[in-house]
Amino acid sequence: TTLSGDFQFSGSTTFCKVQPNANGHVSAADLSAALDDATILGNSSVNYRVRAFYGCTALKSIEIPNSVTEISSSAFYKSGLTSVSIPSSVTSIGAYAFSAATALVSVDFSNATSLETIGNHAFRSTGLQSVDLSQATALTTIGSYAFGNTASGTPDRFTSIDFSNATSLKTIGMAALGGAHALAAVTLPE
C-alpha cells in the first residue's frame, strides 16, 4: 500500500521512500524524482516522512543526489544499507540517521567537503570498521555517541578514524567513539 502518496509501507516500522531494485539499489535519478525538488532527505512535518528509509532492509546501496543538503534524523535507521557516499552538497547528517544499520560497512566521506555536523548517534551500532573524515574540512561538530558501538561485537572491529584535515572541528560529543575497544588510531589535525 502507499502512504501519503510516496512511501512504500510494509509492516509497522518499515518505510522505503523509493522501492529498491532487485539488487537493493536506489539510483540518484529515482531518489531525485521522489524528492520532488526537496533538499532534505527524510524531513517533513509528517512523522513518517522523517524516516525516509527507516527499517528498509531491502535497501543495500543508494546514490544520494547532489541536490540533497541534509540527511535528517532516522533517515536510514535500521535499514539494510551496506555502503553510501556522502556528496559534497550535504552539510548535515541528523541524529540516528544511519544508526542500527548493522550491515553498513562503508561510508565514503571523500566528497563531503561541505559537511558541518554529524548528529548524535548518527552512525551508532553500524558495521563501520574505520572512518575517514580527512576531506570533511568544514566539519565543526560530531555529536554524542555518533560512532558509538560501531562494529562492536566479537571481535570489536572499529580500528581507526581520521580527522587529519578537519581543521574546523570544534566539538566531539560525549562518547562519540564509545565502545570502540579495538580503536588503535585516531588522526587529528595538526
PDB file of all heavy atoms in Angstrom, residues 96-139:
ATOM      1  N   TYR A  96      20.708   9.833  14.660  1.00  0.00           N
ATOM      2  CA  TYR A  96      20.250   8.481  14.330  1.00  0.00           C
ATOM      3  C   TYR A  96      20.100   8.240  12.828  1.00  0.00           C
ATOM      4  O   TYR A  96      19.476   7.267  12.421  1.00  0.00           O
ATOM      5  CB  TYR A  96      18.916   8.167  15.024  1.00  0.00           C
ATOM      6  CG  TYR A  96      18.987   8.147  16.524  1.00  0.00           C
ATOM      7  CD1 TYR A  96      18.669   9.277  17.265  1.00  0.00           C
ATOM      8  CD2 TYR A  96      19.387   7.000  17.205  1.00  0.00           C
ATOM      9  CE1 TYR A  96      18.744   9.269  18.650  1.00  0.00           C
ATOM     10  CE2 TYR A  96      19.463   6.982  18.587  1.00  0.00           C
ATOM     11  CZ  TYR A  96      19.140   8.116  19.311  1.00  0.00           C
ATOM     12  OH  TYR A  96      19.218   8.099  20.683  1.00  0.00           O
ATOM     13  N   ALA A  97      20.652   9.081  11.976  1.00  0.00           N
ATOM     14  CA  ALA A  97      20.444   8.986  10.527  1.00  0.00           C
ATOM     15  C   ALA A  97      20.744   7.594   9.976  1.00  0.00           C
ATOM     16  O   ALA A  97      19.991   7.067   9.164  1.00  0.00           O
ATOM     17  CB  ALA A  97      21.267  10.036   9.800  1.00  0.00           C
ATOM     18  N   PHE A  98      21.844   6.997  10.399  1.00  0.00           N
ATOM     19  CA  PHE A  98      22.234   5.664   9.920  1.00  0.00           C
ATOM     20  C   PHE A  98      22.315   4.666  11.070  1.00  0.00           C
ATOM     21  O   PHE A  98      22.767   3.543  10.887  1.00  0.00           O
ATOM     22  CB  PHE A  98      23.592   5.736   9.216  1.00  0.00           C
ATOM     23  CG  PHE A  98      23.591   6.556   7.958  1.00  0.00           C
ATOM     24  CD1 PHE A  98      23.896   7.906   7.990  1.00  0.00           C
ATOM     25  CD2 PHE A  98      23.274   5.981   6.732  1.00  0.00           C
ATOM     26  CE1 PHE A  98      23.897   8.680   6.829  1.00  0.00           C
ATOM     27  CE2 PHE A  98      23.270   6.740   5.567  1.00  0.00           C
ATOM     28  CZ  PHE A  98      23.579   8.083   5.613  1.00  0.00           C
ATOM     29  N   SER A  99      21.895   5.060  12.235  1.00  0.00           N
ATOM     30  CA  SER A  99      22.013   4.231  13.429  1.00  0.00           C
ATOM     31  C   SER A  99      21.327   2.881  13.241  1.00  0.00           C
ATOM     32  O   SER A  99      20.282   2.782  12.599  1.00  0.00           O
ATOM     33  CB  SER A  99      21.387   4.970  14.614  1.00  0.00           C
ATOM     34  OG  SER A  99      21.610   4.267  15.809  1.00  0.00           O
ATOM     35  N   ALA A 100      21.935   1.854  13.805  1.00  0.00           N
ATOM     36  CA  ALA A 100      21.407   0.484  13.805  1.00  0.00           C
ATOM     37  C   ALA A 100      21.294  -0.119  12.410  1.00  0.00           C
ATOM     38  O   ALA A 100      20.644  -1.147  12.235  1.00  0.00           O
ATOM     39  CB  ALA A 100      20.071   0.415  14.542  1.00  0.00           C
ATOM     40  N   ALA A 101      21.951   0.481  11.424  1.00  0.00           N
ATOM     41  CA  ALA A 101      22.066  -0.131  10.095  1.00  0.00           C
ATOM     42  C   ALA A 101      23.291  -1.037  10.179  1.00  0.00           C
ATOM     43  O   ALA A 101      24.388  -0.689   9.749  1.00  0.00           O
ATOM     44  CB  ALA A 101      22.223   0.937   9.018  1.00  0.00           C
ATOM     45  N   THR A 102      23.111  -2.182  10.781  1.00  0.00           N
ATOM     46  CA  THR A 102      24.235  -3.045  11.154  1.00  0.00           C
ATOM     47  C   THR A 102      25.026  -3.574   9.968  1.00  0.00           C
ATOM     48  O   THR A 102      26.184  -3.955  10.123  1.00  0.00           O
ATOM     49  CB  THR A 102      23.755  -4.216  12.023  1.00  0.00           C
ATOM     50  OG1 THR A 102      22.751  -4.947  11.301  1.00  0.00           O
ATOM     51  CG2 THR A 102      23.179  -3.717  13.341  1.00  0.00           C
ATOM     52  N   ALA A 103      24.439  -3.600   8.777  1.00  0.00           N
ATOM     53  CA  ALA A 103      25.152  -4.061   7.584  1.00  0.00           C
ATOM     54  C   ALA A 103      26.013  -2.965   6.961  1.00  0.00           C
ATOM     55  O   ALA A 103      26.815  -3.229   6.065  1.00  0.00           O
ATOM     56  CB  ALA A 103      24.156  -4.586   6.545  1.00  0.00           C
ATOM     57  N   LEU A 104      25.876  -1.727   7.438  1.00  0.00           N
ATOM     58  CA  LEU A 104      26.620  -0.596   6.867  1.00  0.00           C
ATOM     59  C   LEU A 104      28.097  -0.707   7.240  1.00  0.00           C
ATOM     60  O   LEU A 104      28.481  -0.498   8.388  1.00  0.00           O
ATOM     61  CB  LEU A 104      26.047   0.738   7.367  1.00  0.00           C
ATOM     62  CG  LEU A 104      26.682   2.002   6.804  1.00  0.00           C
ATOM     63  CD1 LEU A 104      26.522   2.074   5.289  1.00  0.00           C
ATOM     64  CD2 LEU A 104      26.088   3.234   7.457  1.00  0.00           C
ATOM     65  N   VAL A 105      28.926  -1.054   6.244  1.00  0.00           N
ATOM     66  CA  VAL A 105      30.358  -1.233   6.488  1.00  0.00           C
ATOM     67  C   VAL A 105      31.215  -0.182   5.801  1.00  0.00           C
ATOM     68  O   VAL A 105      32.410  -0.091   6.063  1.00  0.00           O
ATOM     69  CB  VAL A 105      30.836  -2.652   6.068  1.00  0.00           C
ATOM     70  CG1 VAL A 105      30.183  -3.717   6.942  1.00  0.00           C
ATOM     71  CG2 VAL A 105      30.574  -2.911   4.604  1.00  0.00           C
ATOM     72  N   SER A 106      30.606   0.621   4.909  1.00  0.00           N
ATOM     73  CA  SER A 106      31.396   1.599   4.174  1.00  0.00           C
ATOM     74  C   SER A 106      30.629   2.906   3.980  1.00  0.00           C
ATOM     75  O   SER A 106      29.536   2.905   3.405  1.00  0.00           O
ATOM     76  CB  SER A 106      31.769   1.018   2.799  1.00  0.00           C
ATOM     77  OG  SER A 106      32.438   1.977   2.014  1.00  0.00           O
ATOM     78  N   VAL A 107      31.223   3.999   4.463  1.00  0.00           N
ATOM     79  CA  VAL A 107      30.701   5.341   4.199  1.00  0.00           C
ATOM     80  C   VAL A 107      31.846   6.135   3.586  1.00  0.00           C
ATOM     81  O   VAL A 107      32.901   6.285   4.202  1.00  0.00           O
ATOM     82  CB  VAL A 107      30.182   6.041   5.469  1.00  0.00           C
ATOM     83  CG1 VAL A 107      29.714   7.454   5.143  1.00  0.00           C
ATOM     84  CG2 VAL A 107      29.055   5.242   6.101  1.00  0.00           C
ATOM     85  N   ASP A 108      31.624   6.609   2.375  1.00  0.00           N
ATOM     86  CA  ASP A 108      32.641   7.383   1.673  1.00  0.00           C
ATOM     87  C   ASP A 108      32.389   8.872   1.941  1.00  0.00           C
ATOM     88  O   ASP A 108      31.414   9.440   1.470  1.00  0.00           O
ATOM     89  CB  ASP A 108      32.568   7.086   0.181  1.00  0.00           C
ATOM     90  CG  ASP A 108      33.614   7.828  -0.628  1.00  0.00           C
ATOM     91  OD1 ASP A 108      34.386   8.636  -0.057  1.00  0.00           O
ATOM     92  OD2 ASP A 108      33.658   7.609  -1.855  1.00  0.00           O
ATOM     93  N   PHE A 109      33.274   9.465   2.720  1.00  0.00           N
ATOM     94  CA  PHE A 109      33.193  10.891   3.046  1.00  0.00           C
ATOM     95  C   PHE A 109      34.155  11.718   2.182  1.00  0.00           C
ATOM     96  O   PHE A 109      34.348  12.896   2.448  1.00  0.00           O
ATOM     97  CB  PHE A 109      33.563  11.124   4.517  1.00  0.00           C
ATOM     98  CG  PHE A 109      32.557  10.647   5.525  1.00  0.00           C
ATOM     99  CD1 PHE A 109      32.749   9.448   6.197  1.00  0.00           C
ATOM    100  CD2 PHE A 109      31.430  11.397   5.824  1.00  0.00           C
ATOM    101  CE1 PHE A 109      31.842   9.007   7.155  1.00  0.00           C
ATOM    102  CE2 PHE A 109      30.513  10.965   6.776  1.00  0.00           C
ATOM    103  CZ  PHE A 109      30.722   9.773   7.440  1.00  0.00           C
ATOM    104  N   SER A 110      34.768  11.122   1.165  1.00  0.00           N
ATOM    105  CA  SER A 110      35.820  11.816   0.403  1.00  0.00           C
ATOM    106  C   SER A 110      35.320  13.064  -0.319  1.00  0.00           C
ATOM    107  O   SER A 110      36.110  13.968  -0.600  1.00  0.00           O
ATOM    108  CB  SER A 110      36.495  10.862  -0.588  1.00  0.00           C
ATOM    109  OG  SER A 110      35.576  10.402  -1.560  1.00  0.00           O
ATOM    110  N   ASN A 111      34.023  13.139  -0.624  1.00  0.00           N
ATOM    111  CA  ASN A 111      33.470  14.334  -1.269  1.00  0.00           C
ATOM    112  C   ASN A 111      32.714  15.230  -0.288  1.00  0.00           C
ATOM    113  O   ASN A 111      32.133  16.230  -0.691  1.00  0.00           O
ATOM    114  CB  ASN A 111      32.531  13.940  -2.412  1.00  0.00           C
ATOM    115  CG  ASN A 111      33.277  13.291  -3.540  1.00  0.00           C
ATOM    116  OD1 ASN A 111      34.343  13.753  -3.927  1.00  0.00           O
ATOM    117  ND2 ASN A 111      32.752  12.193  -4.048  1.00  0.00           N
ATOM    118  N   ALA A 112      32.707  14.883   0.981  1.00  0.00           N
ATOM    119  CA  ALA A 112      31.906  15.581   1.994  1.00  0.00           C
ATOM    120  C   ALA A 112      32.573  16.868   2.478  1.00  0.00           C
ATOM    121  O   ALA A 112      32.671  17.124   3.678  1.00  0.00           O
ATOM    122  CB  ALA A 112      31.612  14.645   3.158  1.00  0.00           C
ATOM    123  N   THR A 113      32.985  17.686   1.553  1.00  0.00           N
ATOM    124  CA  THR A 113      33.723  18.909   1.889  1.00  0.00           C
ATOM    125  C   THR A 113      32.857  20.004   2.500  1.00  0.00           C
ATOM    126  O   THR A 113      33.389  20.938   3.093  1.00  0.00           O
ATOM    127  CB  THR A 113      34.432  19.452   0.637  1.00  0.00           C
ATOM    128  OG1 THR A 113      33.454  19.634  -0.403  1.00  0.00           O
ATOM    129  CG2 THR A 113      35.511  18.482   0.156  1.00  0.00           C
ATOM    130  N   SER A 114      31.525  19.879   2.388  1.00  0.00           N
ATOM    131  CA  SER A 114      30.618  20.870   2.987  1.00  0.00           C
ATOM    132  C   SER A 114      29.994  20.385   4.287  1.00  0.00           C
ATOM    133  O   SER A 114      29.266  21.129   4.939  1.00  0.00           O
ATOM    134  CB  SER A 114      29.491  21.217   1.999  1.00  0.00           C
ATOM    135  OG  SER A 114      30.021  21.771   0.828  1.00  0.00           O
ATOM    136  N   LEU A 115      30.283  19.161   4.660  1.00  0.00           N
ATOM    137  CA  LEU A 115      29.687  18.576   5.870  1.00  0.00           C
ATOM    138  C   LEU A 115      30.149  19.329   7.112  1.00  0.00           C
ATOM    139  O   LEU A 115      31.340  19.431   7.384  1.00  0.00           O
ATOM    140  CB  LEU A 115      30.064  17.098   5.983  1.00  0.00           C
ATOM    141  CG  LEU A 115      29.472  16.330   7.161  1.00  0.00           C
ATOM    142  CD1 LEU A 115      27.946  16.297   7.086  1.00  0.00           C
ATOM    143  CD2 LEU A 115      30.029  14.907   7.195  1.00  0.00           C
ATOM    144  N   GLU A 116      29.177  19.874   7.860  1.00  0.00           N
ATOM    145  CA  GLU A 116      29.472  20.645   9.067  1.00  0.00           C
ATOM    146  C   GLU A 116      29.134  19.889  10.341  1.00  0.00           C
ATOM    147  O   GLU A 116      29.798  20.064  11.357  1.00  0.00           O
ATOM    148  CB  GLU A 116      28.688  21.964   9.043  1.00  0.00           C
ATOM    149  CG  GLU A 116      29.060  22.872   7.893  1.00  0.00           C
ATOM    150  CD  GLU A 116      28.134  24.071   7.770  1.00  0.00           C
ATOM    151  OE1 GLU A 116      27.220  24.240   8.597  1.00  0.00           O
ATOM    152  OE2 GLU A 116      28.327  24.845   6.812  1.00  0.00           O
ATOM    153  N   THR A 117      28.078  19.066  10.296  1.00  0.00           N
ATOM    154  CA  THR A 117      27.584  18.439  11.518  1.00  0.00           C
ATOM    155  C   THR A 117      27.245  16.978  11.298  1.00  0.00           C
ATOM    156  O   THR A 117      26.556  16.629  10.333  1.00  0.00           O
ATOM    157  CB  THR A 117      26.300  19.157  11.998  1.00  0.00           C
ATOM    158  OG1 THR A 117      26.589  20.544  12.170  1.00  0.00           O
ATOM    159  CG2 THR A 117      25.801  18.580  13.304  1.00  0.00           C
ATOM    160  N   ILE A 118      27.709  16.144  12.214  1.00  0.00           N
ATOM    161  CA  ILE A 118      27.280  14.752  12.303  1.00  0.00           C
ATOM    162  C   ILE A 118      26.553  14.649  13.637  1.00  0.00           C
ATOM    163  O   ILE A 118      27.139  14.879  14.694  1.00  0.00           O
ATOM    164  CB  ILE A 118      28.475  13.778  12.246  1.00  0.00           C
ATOM    165  CG1 ILE A 118      29.192  13.903  10.883  1.00  0.00           C
ATOM    166  CG2 ILE A 118      28.003  12.339  12.487  1.00  0.00           C
ATOM    167  CD1 ILE A 118      30.460  13.081  10.773  1.00  0.00           C
ATOM    168  N   GLY A 119      25.268  14.360  13.590  1.00  0.00           N
ATOM    169  CA  GLY A 119      24.418  14.392  14.775  1.00  0.00           C
ATOM    170  C   GLY A 119      24.642  13.264  15.759  1.00  0.00           C
ATOM    171  O   GLY A 119      25.339  12.273  15.485  1.00  0.00           O
ATOM    172  N   ASN A 120      24.026  13.412  16.924  1.00  0.00           N
ATOM    173  CA  ASN A 120      24.090  12.400  17.974  1.00  0.00           C
ATOM    174  C   ASN A 120      23.632  11.044  17.438  1.00  0.00           C
ATOM    175  O   ASN A 120      22.627  10.966  16.731  1.00  0.00           O
ATOM    176  CB  ASN A 120      23.190  12.789  19.151  1.00  0.00           C
ATOM    177  CG  ASN A 120      23.635  14.054  19.836  1.00  0.00           C
ATOM    178  OD1 ASN A 120      24.777  14.466  19.726  1.00  0.00           O
ATOM    179  ND2 ASN A 120      22.717  14.686  20.551  1.00  0.00           N
ATOM    180  N   HIS A 121      24.374  10.009  17.746  1.00  0.00           N
ATOM    181  CA  HIS A 121      24.034   8.629  17.398  1.00  0.00           C
ATOM    182  C   HIS A 121      23.946   8.388  15.888  1.00  0.00           C
ATOM    183  O   HIS A 121      23.386   7.386  15.461  1.00  0.00           O
ATOM    184  CB  HIS A 121      22.702   8.213  18.038  1.00  0.00           C
ATOM    185  CG  HIS A 121      22.638   8.399  19.517  1.00  0.00           C
ATOM    186  ND1 HIS A 121      23.058   7.430  20.402  1.00  0.00           N
ATOM    187  CD2 HIS A 121      22.214   9.444  20.267  1.00  0.00           C
ATOM    188  CE1 HIS A 121      22.883   7.865  21.641  1.00  0.00           C
ATOM    189  NE2 HIS A 121      22.385   9.092  21.581  1.00  0.00           N
ATOM    190  N   ALA A 122      24.451   9.278  15.054  1.00  0.00           N
ATOM    191  CA  ALA A 122      24.257   9.196  13.601  1.00  0.00           C
ATOM    192  C   ALA A 122      24.685   7.866  13.003  1.00  0.00           C
ATOM    193  O   ALA A 122      24.009   7.330  12.126  1.00  0.00           O
ATOM    194  CB  ALA A 122      24.987  10.344  12.907  1.00  0.00           C
ATOM    195  N   PHE A 123      25.806   7.320  13.448  1.00  0.00           N
ATOM    196  CA  PHE A 123      26.311   6.053  12.918  1.00  0.00           C
ATOM    197  C   PHE A 123      26.445   4.997  14.013  1.00  0.00           C
ATOM    198  O   PHE A 123      27.187   4.036  13.859  1.00  0.00           O
ATOM    199  CB  PHE A 123      27.657   6.270  12.220  1.00  0.00           C
ATOM    200  CG  PHE A 123      27.552   7.110  10.971  1.00  0.00           C
ATOM    201  CD1 PHE A 123      27.763   8.480  11.022  1.00  0.00           C
ATOM    202  CD2 PHE A 123      27.231   6.536   9.752  1.00  0.00           C
ATOM    203  CE1 PHE A 123      27.659   9.260   9.884  1.00  0.00           C
ATOM    204  CE2 PHE A 123      27.117   7.304   8.611  1.00  0.00           C
ATOM    205  CZ  PHE A 123      27.331   8.668   8.677  1.00  0.00           C
ATOM    206  N   ARG A 124      25.734   5.172  15.087  1.00  0.00           N
ATOM    207  CA  ARG A 124      25.832   4.244  16.220  1.00  0.00           C
ATOM    208  C   ARG A 124      25.322   2.859  15.822  1.00  0.00           C
ATOM    209  O   ARG A 124      24.331   2.719  15.116  1.00  0.00           O
ATOM    210  CB  ARG A 124      25.016   4.769  17.397  1.00  0.00           C
ATOM    211  CG  ARG A 124      25.196   3.907  18.633  1.00  0.00           C
ATOM    212  CD  ARG A 124      24.533   4.486  19.836  1.00  0.00           C
ATOM    213  NE  ARG A 124      24.872   3.691  21.007  1.00  0.00           N
ATOM    214  CZ  ARG A 124      24.596   4.039  22.226  1.00  0.00           C
ATOM    215  NH1 ARG A 124      23.976   5.173  22.462  1.00  0.00           N
ATOM    216  NH2 ARG A 124      24.942   3.271  23.226  1.00  0.00           N
ATOM    217  N   SER A 125      26.036   1.855  16.251  1.00  0.00           N
ATOM    218  CA  SER A 125      25.671   0.452  16.033  1.00  0.00           C
ATOM    219  C   SER A 125      25.576   0.085  14.554  1.00  0.00           C
ATOM    220  O   SER A 125      24.687  -0.646  14.137  1.00  0.00           O
ATOM    221  CB  SER A 125      24.361   0.122  16.757  1.00  0.00           C
ATOM    222  OG  SER A 125      24.509   0.319  18.149  1.00  0.00           O
ATOM    223  N   THR A 126      26.507   0.606  13.762  1.00  0.00           N
ATOM    224  CA  THR A 126      26.636   0.188  12.366  1.00  0.00           C
ATOM    225  C   THR A 126      27.806  -0.790  12.269  1.00  0.00           C
ATOM    226  O   THR A 126      28.437  -1.101  13.275  1.00  0.00           O
ATOM    227  CB  THR A 126      26.891   1.394  11.442  1.00  0.00           C
ATOM    228  OG1 THR A 126      28.112   2.019  11.829  1.00  0.00           O
ATOM    229  CG2 THR A 126      25.735   2.384  11.496  1.00  0.00           C
ATOM    230  N   GLY A 127      28.120  -1.230  11.075  1.00  0.00           N
ATOM    231  CA  GLY A 127      29.225  -2.162  10.877  1.00  0.00           C
ATOM    232  C   GLY A 127      30.518  -1.501  10.440  1.00  0.00           C
ATOM    233  O   GLY A 127      31.436  -2.186   9.977  1.00  0.00           O
ATOM    234  N   LEU A 128      30.614  -0.181  10.571  1.00  0.00           N
ATOM    235  CA  LEU A 128      31.820   0.530  10.140  1.00  0.00           C
ATOM    236  C   LEU A 128      33.049   0.048  10.894  1.00  0.00           C
ATOM    237  O   LEU A 128      33.016  -0.111  12.115  1.00  0.00           O
ATOM    238  CB  LEU A 128      31.663   2.035  10.340  1.00  0.00           C
ATOM    239  CG  LEU A 128      30.621   2.725   9.477  1.00  0.00           C
ATOM    240  CD1 LEU A 128      30.475   4.190   9.886  1.00  0.00           C
ATOM    241  CD2 LEU A 128      30.980   2.612   8.013  1.00  0.00           C
ATOM    242  N   GLN A 129      34.136  -0.152  10.163  1.00  0.00           N
ATOM    243  CA  GLN A 129      35.385  -0.582  10.781  1.00  0.00           C
ATOM    244  C   GLN A 129      36.407   0.546  10.846  1.00  0.00           C
ATOM    245  O   GLN A 129      37.327   0.509  11.649  1.00  0.00           O
ATOM    246  CB  GLN A 129      35.957  -1.773  10.021  1.00  0.00           C
ATOM    247  CG  GLN A 129      35.024  -2.970  10.109  1.00  0.00           C
ATOM    248  CD  GLN A 129      35.541  -4.164   9.355  1.00  0.00           C
ATOM    249  OE1 GLN A 129      36.744  -4.337   9.172  1.00  0.00           O
ATOM    250  NE2 GLN A 129      34.634  -5.011   8.924  1.00  0.00           N
ATOM    251  N   SER A 130      36.239   1.537   9.978  1.00  0.00           N
ATOM    252  CA  SER A 130      37.091   2.719  10.004  1.00  0.00           C
ATOM    253  C   SER A 130      36.316   3.867   9.370  1.00  0.00           C
ATOM    254  O   SER A 130      35.374   3.643   8.611  1.00  0.00           O
ATOM    255  CB  SER A 130      38.409   2.484   9.253  1.00  0.00           C
ATOM    256  OG  SER A 130      38.158   2.261   7.885  1.00  0.00           O
ATOM    257  N   VAL A 131      36.717   5.090   9.711  1.00  0.00           N
ATOM    258  CA  VAL A 131      36.070   6.280   9.180  1.00  0.00           C
ATOM    259  C   VAL A 131      37.164   7.258   8.769  1.00  0.00           C
ATOM    260  O   VAL A 131      38.072   7.544   9.546  1.00  0.00           O
ATOM    261  CB  VAL A 131      35.138   6.934  10.235  1.00  0.00           C
ATOM    262  CG1 VAL A 131      34.587   8.249   9.733  1.00  0.00           C
ATOM    263  CG2 VAL A 131      34.011   5.979  10.611  1.00  0.00           C
ATOM    264  N   ASP A 132      37.043   7.756   7.533  1.00  0.00           N
ATOM    265  CA  ASP A 132      37.997   8.744   7.039  1.00  0.00           C
ATOM    266  C   ASP A 132      37.266  10.055   6.792  1.00  0.00           C
ATOM    267  O   ASP A 132      36.564  10.216   5.802  1.00  0.00           O
ATOM    268  CB  ASP A 132      38.650   8.251   5.751  1.00  0.00           C
ATOM    269  CG  ASP A 132      39.729   9.194   5.235  1.00  0.00           C
ATOM    270  OD1 ASP A 132      39.871  10.313   5.779  1.00  0.00           O
ATOM    271  OD2 ASP A 132      40.422   8.812   4.273  1.00  0.00           O
ATOM    272  N   LEU A 133      37.407  10.979   7.723  1.00  0.00           N
ATOM    273  CA  LEU A 133      36.806  12.308   7.623  1.00  0.00           C
ATOM    274  C   LEU A 133      37.856  13.353   7.246  1.00  0.00           C
ATOM    275  O   LEU A 133      37.661  14.542   7.453  1.00  0.00           O
ATOM    276  CB  LEU A 133      36.132  12.683   8.947  1.00  0.00           C
ATOM    277  CG  LEU A 133      34.885  11.868   9.283  1.00  0.00           C
ATOM    278  CD1 LEU A 133      34.535  11.996  10.759  1.00  0.00           C
ATOM    279  CD2 LEU A 133      33.729  12.309   8.410  1.00  0.00           C
ATOM    280  N   SER A 134      38.968  12.907   6.681  1.00  0.00           N
ATOM    281  CA  SER A 134      40.073  13.822   6.376  1.00  0.00           C
ATOM    282  C   SER A 134      39.699  14.879   5.340  1.00  0.00           C
ATOM    283  O   SER A 134      40.293  15.951   5.325  1.00  0.00           O
ATOM    284  CB  SER A 134      41.305  13.046   5.911  1.00  0.00           C
ATOM    285  OG  SER A 134      41.038  12.345   4.704  1.00  0.00           O
ATOM    286  N   GLN A 135      38.721  14.617   4.491  1.00  0.00           N
ATOM    287  CA  GLN A 135      38.308  15.607   3.496  1.00  0.00           C
ATOM    288  C   GLN A 135      37.146  16.472   3.968  1.00  0.00           C
ATOM    289  O   GLN A 135      36.726  17.395   3.267  1.00  0.00           O
ATOM    290  CB  GLN A 135      37.934  14.905   2.188  1.00  0.00           C
ATOM    291  CG  GLN A 135      39.083  14.119   1.574  1.00  0.00           C
ATOM    292  CD  GLN A 135      40.336  14.954   1.397  1.00  0.00           C
ATOM    293  OE1 GLN A 135      40.302  16.038   0.814  1.00  0.00           O
ATOM    294  NE2 GLN A 135      41.454  14.477   1.922  1.00  0.00           N
ATOM    295  N   ALA A 136      36.623  16.189   5.142  1.00  0.00           N
ATOM    296  CA  ALA A 136      35.497  16.954   5.696  1.00  0.00           C
ATOM    297  C   ALA A 136      36.019  18.228   6.350  1.00  0.00           C
ATOM    298  O   ALA A 136      35.944  18.416   7.565  1.00  0.00           O
ATOM    299  CB  ALA A 136      34.719  16.091   6.684  1.00  0.00           C
ATOM    300  N   THR A 137      36.530  19.120   5.537  1.00  0.00           N
ATOM    301  CA  THR A 137      37.218  20.322   6.030  1.00  0.00           C
ATOM    302  C   THR A 137      36.287  21.338   6.678  1.00  0.00           C
ATOM    303  O   THR A 137      36.745  22.201   7.425  1.00  0.00           O
ATOM    304  CB  THR A 137      37.999  20.997   4.884  1.00  0.00           C
ATOM    305  OG1 THR A 137      37.097  21.253   3.799  1.00  0.00           O
ATOM    306  CG2 THR A 137      39.132  20.088   4.400  1.00  0.00           C
ATOM    307  N   ALA A 138      34.976  21.241   6.430  1.00  0.00           N
ATOM    308  CA  ALA A 138      34.017  22.164   7.048  1.00  0.00           C
ATOM    309  C   ALA A 138      33.421  21.604   8.341  1.00  0.00           C
ATOM    310  O   ALA A 138      32.672  22.295   9.029  1.00  0.00           O
ATOM    311  CB  ALA A 138      32.891  22.490   6.065  1.00  0.00           C
ATOM    312  N   LEU A 139      33.766  20.369   8.685  1.00  0.00           N
ATOM    313  CA  LEU A 139      33.183  19.697   9.855  1.00  0.00           C
ATOM    314  C   LEU A 139      33.518  20.435  11.146  1.00  0.00           C
ATOM    315  O   LEU A 139      34.677  20.655  11.467  1.00  0.00           O
ATOM    316  CB  LEU A 139      33.689  18.254   9.924  1.00  0.00           C
ATOM    317  CG  LEU A 139      33.072  17.361  10.995  1.00  0.00           C
ATOM    318  CD1 LEU A 139      31.572  17.157  10.738  1.00  0.00           C
ATOM    319  CD2 LEU A 139      33.780  16.005  11.009  1.00  0.00           C
TER     320      LEU A 139
END
